[in-house]
Amino acid sequence: MSLRKRKQREIKEDKKIAVTFAALALLFQPFMKISLGRTIWNAVDVAIAILLIILWLKDNIQKNS
């Protein structure tokens, strides 16, 4: 893969990650209160934790290769 295409792919992925983290910031520090039940919030917390672990692992794998 050419250096230019690799850089374009990295920029595109960085934008996706930025949007993801912005959405998470709005979810957990919203301008309006989001009333979800305790069970739903627990599920959201677990899903977000798994997502963040996957992103962290993916980033570490890319840095090591």
Side-chain angles (χ1 to χ4, degrees), residues 4-43:
R4 183 179 189 149
K5 285 187 179 186
R6 184 179 302 152
K7 189 66 175 170
Q8 287 175 343
R9 193 179 89 218
E10 288 175 5
I11 290 171
K12 187 175 181 180
E13 186 157 325
D14 286 346
K15 286 181 183 180
K16 287 180 186 179
I17 291 172
V19 169
T20 300
F21 282 114
L24 289 175
L26 287 174
L27 177 66
F28 287 103
Q29 295 294 326
F31 294 106
M32 296 180 350
K33 184 173 180 165
I34 300 173
S35 298
L36 299 176
R38 183 180 180 107
T39 305
I40 294 174
W41 272 116
N42 287 340

